[in-house]
Amino acid sequence: MELVTIGLVLAGLVLVFFGAALSVYATALLGCIMGAAGGYVLGPQLLGAFGAGGLPALAGVVLVGAALGAALAYVALSFATSVPAFVVGAYLGLYVITPIFTDGGLIKYLVMIVAGIAGAVVGFALTKVALTFVTAFVGATLASGAVGPGNLAAARDALSPDPILFDPLGTTTLLGADVPLFGALFVLGVLSQIGLFKLGWVTRLATVVPGLGRVLGRKGKEA
């Protein structure tokens, strides 16, 4: 489990600082992580329906989920980006926008859905912009430890999303001080990725690495 935690933190840091620059590869990594997480959380229920169980079977479901998530994300970049963009938009609507207008009630779910739809539209229409924010958000979530294997295990056992929900405005105790670690990583990630585009690093990469140009409207070997 410790190796899984380290792997998620490292994957999170890659997404935070280089997500949009890696284009389809970052989207595939997002799909892989989300697919594996979905397989891990829902695996026991799916296996139980077929009378199967055990660690090997669960590992198989996780690997299948990861492979399907990565493949679908790579094939349908804009659509794949809109899905996590919906999740991020809904999350921000529920935890950031809603508290400004209300203390709770049904209105918070309406705000969540509207924000999610807005995020999905941006994700589909402005893939590069959405990918910057989505990868920074998901990467910061993993790198800060806001969501880790323990949260996923709790969500699996409870069959509820509550254990993986967190306050993006909250703080994390680091070296004896309360630090807004998620928020800091998210902001640094967005600024870093915007800087990569402004400095032209992404454009140069798009001429060398196959697939990167799909976001920029360029082809891999085009000068």
Side-chain angles (χ1 to χ4, degrees):
M1 190 64 74
E2 191 68 27
L3 289 177
V4 174
T5 301
I6 294 173
L8 289 176
V9 170
L10 292 177
L13 290 174
V14 170
L15 289 173
V16 164
F17 295 106
F18 304 104
L22 293 175
S23 170
V24 289
Y25 300 105
T27 307
L29 179 58
L30 276 174
C32 180
I33 292 173
M34 294 179 71
Y40 181 75
V41 172
L42 300 177
Q45 283 69 37
L46 295 175
L47 293 172
F50 292 97
L55 185 59
L58 178 60
V61 172
V62 171
L63 290 175
V64 170
L68 286 176
L72 291 174
Y74 190 91
V75 170
L77 176 63
S78 294
F79 177 76
T81 305
S82 69
V83 174
F86 175 88
V87 175
V88 172
Y91 207 91
L92 293 177
L94 183 62
Y95 284 95
V96 179
I97 300 175
T98 299
I100 298 176
F101 300 101
T102 177
D103 293 330
L106 294 178
I107 187 66
K108 68 179 182 181
Y109 297 108
L110 176 61
V111 174
M112 178 186 74
I113 293 172
V114 171
I117 293 174
V121 170
V122 172
F124 187 83
L126 301 173
T127 304
K128 183 180 73 175
V129 175
L131 196 56
T132 297
F133 284 90
V134 168
T135 54
F137 186 95
V138 176
T141 299
L142 299 176
S144 67
V147 174
N151 303 93
L152 294 175
R156 178 196 62 196
D157 295 338
L159 196 59
S160 168
D162 290 343
I164 60 175
L165 298 179
F166 67 96
D167 183 2
L169 301 178
T171 59
T172 301
T173 301
L174 189 64
L175 299 177
D178 292 333
V179 180
L181 187 57
F182 167 84
L185 286 172
F186 175 71
V187 172
L188 285 174
V190 170
L191 294 177
S192 173
Q193 293 189 50
I194 291 175
L196 290 181
F197 282 101
K198 286 187 175 181
L199 291 174
W201 293 3
V202 178
T203 304
R204 288 194 291 273
L205 283 174
T207 66
V208 178
V209 182
L212 294 191
R214 290 179 60 182
V215 168
L216 303 176
R218 301 171 64 91
K219 294 184 178 180
K221 297 292 184 178
E222 184 179 322

